PDB file of all heavy atoms in Angstrom:
ATOM      1  N   ILE A 228     -22.526  31.525  -3.096  1.00 98.00           N
ATOM      2  CA  ILE A 228     -21.793  30.313  -3.492  1.00 98.00           C
ATOM      3  C   ILE A 228     -21.539  29.388  -2.231  1.00 98.00           C
ATOM      4  O   ILE A 228     -21.664  28.235  -2.276  1.00 98.00           O
ATOM      5  CB  ILE A 228     -20.536  30.608  -4.298  1.00 98.00           C
ATOM      6  CG1 ILE A 228     -20.878  31.131  -5.668  1.00 98.00           C
ATOM      7  CG2 ILE A 228     -19.665  29.328  -4.440  1.00 98.00           C
ATOM      8  CD1 ILE A 228     -19.713  31.688  -6.461  1.00 98.00           C
ATOM      9  N   GLN A 229     -21.142  30.086  -1.170  1.00 98.00           N
ATOM     10  CA  GLN A 229     -20.847  29.337   0.083  1.00 98.00           C
ATOM     11  C   GLN A 229     -21.974  29.466   1.073  1.00 98.00           C
ATOM     12  O   GLN A 229     -22.292  28.513   1.773  1.00 98.00           O
ATOM     13  CB  GLN A 229     -19.542  29.930   0.694  1.00 98.00           C
ATOM     14  CG  GLN A 229     -19.027  28.991   1.778  1.00 98.00           C
ATOM     15  CD  GLN A 229     -17.516  29.287   2.165  1.00 98.00           C
ATOM     16  OE1 GLN A 229     -17.138  29.010   3.280  1.00 98.00           O
ATOM     17  NE2 GLN A 229     -16.749  29.938   1.316  1.00 98.00           N
ATOM     18  N   SER A 230     -22.672  30.602   1.093  1.00 98.00           N
ATOM     19  CA  SER A 230     -23.707  30.804   2.133  1.00 98.00           C
ATOM     20  C   SER A 230     -25.063  30.229   1.764  1.00 98.00           C
ATOM     21  O   SER A 230     -25.919  29.995   2.595  1.00 98.00           O
ATOM     22  CB  SER A 230     -23.888  32.319   2.380  1.00 98.00           C
ATOM     23  OG  SER A 230     -24.198  33.018   1.209  1.00 98.00           O
ATOM     24  N   GLY A 231     -25.263  29.919   0.424  1.00 98.00           N
ATOM     25  CA  GLY A 231     -26.520  29.514  -0.042  1.00 98.00           C
ATOM     26  C   GLY A 231     -26.820  28.030   0.105  1.00 98.00           C
ATOM     27  O   GLY A 231     -25.982  27.224   0.549  1.00 98.00           O
ATOM     28  N   LEU A 232     -28.016  27.644  -0.397  1.00 98.00           N
ATOM     29  CA  LEU A 232     -28.454  26.233  -0.386  1.00 98.00           C
ATOM     30  C   LEU A 232     -28.388  25.536   0.977  1.00 98.00           C
ATOM     31  O   LEU A 232     -28.007  24.378   1.118  1.00 98.00           O
ATOM     32  CB  LEU A 232     -27.646  25.472  -1.451  1.00 98.00           C
ATOM     33  CG  LEU A 232     -27.700  26.098  -2.825  1.00 98.00           C
ATOM     34  CD1 LEU A 232     -26.813  25.358  -3.820  1.00 98.00           C
ATOM     35  CD2 LEU A 232     -29.134  26.175  -3.386  1.00 98.00           C
ATOM     36  N   GLY A 233     -28.869  26.284   1.965  1.00 98.00           N
ATOM     37  CA  GLY A 233     -29.142  25.686   3.285  1.00 98.00           C
ATOM     38  C   GLY A 233     -28.101  25.930   4.361  1.00 98.00           C
ATOM     39  O   GLY A 233     -28.426  25.759   5.557  1.00 98.00           O
ATOM     40  N   ARG A 234     -26.933  26.325   4.028  1.00 98.00           N
ATOM     41  CA  ARG A 234     -25.851  26.420   4.960  1.00 98.00           C
ATOM     42  C   ARG A 234     -26.242  27.257   6.221  1.00 98.00           C
ATOM     43  O   ARG A 234     -25.867  26.910   7.353  1.00 98.00           O
ATOM     44  CB  ARG A 234     -24.596  27.012   4.330  1.00 98.00           C
ATOM     45  CG  ARG A 234     -23.386  27.258   5.130  1.00 98.00           C
ATOM     46  CD  ARG A 234     -22.952  26.104   6.048  1.00 98.00           C
ATOM     47  NE  ARG A 234     -22.578  24.893   5.306  1.00 98.00           N
ATOM     48  CZ  ARG A 234     -22.244  23.734   5.974  1.00 98.00           C
ATOM     49  NH1 ARG A 234     -22.349  23.656   7.324  1.00 98.00           N
ATOM     50  NH2 ARG A 234     -21.936  22.662   5.288  1.00 98.00           N
ATOM     51  N   THR A 235     -26.933  28.346   6.018  1.00 98.00           N
ATOM     52  CA  THR A 235     -27.227  29.265   7.199  1.00 98.00           C
ATOM     53  C   THR A 235     -28.539  28.965   7.825  1.00 98.00           C
ATOM     54  O   THR A 235     -28.985  29.760   8.707  1.00 98.00           O
ATOM     55  CB  THR A 235     -27.186  30.703   6.748  1.00 98.00           C
ATOM     56  OG1 THR A 235     -28.350  30.979   5.901  1.00 98.00           O
ATOM     57  CG2 THR A 235     -25.955  31.093   5.972  1.00 98.00           C
ATOM     58  N   GLY A 236     -29.260  27.899   7.456  1.00 98.00           N
ATOM     59  CA  GLY A 236     -30.582  27.643   7.990  1.00 98.00           C
ATOM     60  C   GLY A 236     -31.693  28.274   7.224  1.00 98.00           C
ATOM     61  O   GLY A 236     -32.847  28.255   7.623  1.00 98.00           O
ATOM     62  N   MET A 237     -31.358  28.876   6.040  1.00 98.00           N
ATOM     63  CA  MET A 237     -32.360  29.321   5.092  1.00 98.00           C
ATOM     64  C   MET A 237     -31.861  28.826   3.741  1.00 98.00           C
ATOM     65  O   MET A 237     -30.680  28.451   3.627  1.00 98.00           O
ATOM     66  CB  MET A 237     -32.409  30.819   5.029  1.00 98.00           C
ATOM     67  CG  MET A 237     -33.008  31.483   6.240  1.00 98.00           C
ATOM     68  SD  MET A 237     -34.815  31.426   6.095  1.00 98.00           S
ATOM     69  CE  MET A 237     -35.256  32.552   7.388  1.00 98.00           C
ATOM     70  N   LEU A 238     -32.706  28.829   2.702  1.00 98.00           N
ATOM     71  CA  LEU A 238     -32.233  28.399   1.396  1.00 98.00           C
ATOM     72  C   LEU A 238     -31.066  29.378   1.022  1.00 98.00           C
ATOM     73  O   LEU A 238     -30.022  28.938   0.583  1.00 98.00           O
ATOM     74  CB  LEU A 238     -33.366  28.462   0.376  1.00 98.00           C
ATOM     75  CG  LEU A 238     -32.973  28.064  -1.040  1.00 98.00           C
ATOM     76  CD1 LEU A 238     -32.485  26.594  -1.117  1.00 98.00           C
ATOM     77  CD2 LEU A 238     -34.092  28.260  -1.999  1.00 98.00           C
ATOM     78  N   PHE A 239     -31.344  30.647   1.177  1.00 98.00           N
ATOM     79  CA  PHE A 239     -30.296  31.686   0.934  1.00 98.00           C
ATOM     80  C   PHE A 239     -30.135  32.588   2.122  1.00 98.00           C
ATOM     81  O   PHE A 239     -31.119  32.877   2.861  1.00 98.00           O
ATOM     82  CB  PHE A 239     -30.714  32.553  -0.291  1.00 98.00           C
ATOM     83  CG  PHE A 239     -30.691  31.787  -1.579  1.00 98.00           C
ATOM     84  CD1 PHE A 239     -31.840  31.662  -2.365  1.00 98.00           C
ATOM     85  CD2 PHE A 239     -29.529  31.243  -2.094  1.00 98.00           C
ATOM     86  CE1 PHE A 239     -31.829  31.007  -3.554  1.00 98.00           C
ATOM     87  CE2 PHE A 239     -29.486  30.542  -3.301  1.00 98.00           C
ATOM     88  CZ  PHE A 239     -30.629  30.438  -4.011  1.00 98.00           C
ATOM     89  N   ALA A 240     -28.883  33.035   2.361  1.00 98.00           N
ATOM     90  CA  ALA A 240     -28.620  33.807   3.574  1.00 98.00           C
ATOM     91  C   ALA A 240     -29.322  35.182   3.498  1.00 98.00           C
ATOM     92  O   ALA A 240     -29.662  35.708   4.549  1.00 98.00           O
ATOM     93  CB  ALA A 240     -27.089  33.985   3.666  1.00 98.00           C
TER      94      ALA A 240
END
Side-chain angles (χ1 to χ4, degrees):
I228 291 172
Q229 194 165 156
S230 57
L232 304 176
R234 177 50 62 186
T235 69
M237 289 281 193
L238 180 62
F239 291 119

